[in-house]
Amino acid sequence: MSTDGQGRSHWFDDEAGPVVRPYAMTRGRTTSAGQHRLDLIAVVVAESHTDDPEGDHSLSPEHVDIVDLCRETPQSVAELSSELDLPIGVVRVLVGDLVASEWVHVNRPVPPAELPDESILRDVINGLRAL
C-alpha cells in the first residue's frame, strides 16, 4: 500500500497499475462446485462445440483467456498458471468453473497405482518375441 502527498492510501503500485487480489478473481472461493482437485499435469481442452467466449458476459477475462489458450493447444493446469501469471489455486477454480459451464473438459493423468507393472510388460514383450 502506498500513500500520495496528501496522506491518502492507494491499493496499487503506480508502475504496475491496479492490483487484483487472487480471491477477487475467484469471488473468494478456493474450490469450484462439483470439481475434484485438479492435478498440475491435468490437461485442459477447449470444447469444440462452444461459441466465442468473449460473447458470454458471465465469464471473466481470465476465463476467456483460459478458453483461448486451450483452443490453440491443450494446456496443463501448470502451463495455464504460468502463461497467465496466476496462482495455481486460482487457475484450478477458474478451470472448474469452465468445466461446469461446459467450455472445457479435463483429461486427468492415469494414477500411478493403475499403471501396469513393468515386470508384466516385460513378460508380454518376451512372450511376443517367442512367437
Side-chain angles (χ1 to χ4, degrees):
M1 184 169 82
S2 63
T3 58
D4 63 11
Q6 299 173 343
R8 292 181 296 205
S9 62
H10 295 281
W11 287 99
F12 60 88
D13 179 342
D14 290 334
E15 292 180 18
V19 176
V20 177
R21 299 283 182 204
Y23 59 81
M25 286 182 230
T26 62
R27 295 180 217 121
R29 298 171 296 141
T30 57
T31 60
S32 54
Q35 186 70 11
H36 299 306
R37 189 168 173 89
L38 296 172
D39 291 331
L40 294 176
I41 59 173
V43 177
V44 182
V45 182
E47 295 290 353
S48 59
H49 66 276
T50 57
D51 295 330
D52 181 28
E54 291 180 17
D56 187 340
H57 299 292
S58 67
L59 298 179
S60 70
E62 293 79 18
H63 285 116
V64 172
D65 290 342
I66 290 171
V67 173
D68 287 342
L69 283 171
C70 294
R71 278 202 174 155
E72 294 172 16
T73 183
Q75 304 276 324
S76 72
V77 173
E79 289 171 322
L80 289 170
S81 176
S82 174
E83 186 71 30
L84 298 172
D85 196 27
L86 293 173
I88 289 288
V90 170
V91 172
R92 285 178 170 150
V93 172
L94 296 175
V95 168
D97 294 344
L98 292 169
V99 168
S101 58
E102 299 180 353
W103 283 97
V104 299
H105 68 272
V106 176
N107 294 330
R108 290 182 173 81
V110 177
E114 294 179 16
L115 293 173
D117 187 12
E118 185 178 336
S119 64
I120 293 173
L121 294 175
R122 288 188 192 278
D123 290 342
V124 169
I125 290 171
N126 291 335
L128 290 171
R129 285 185 183 150
L131 293 175

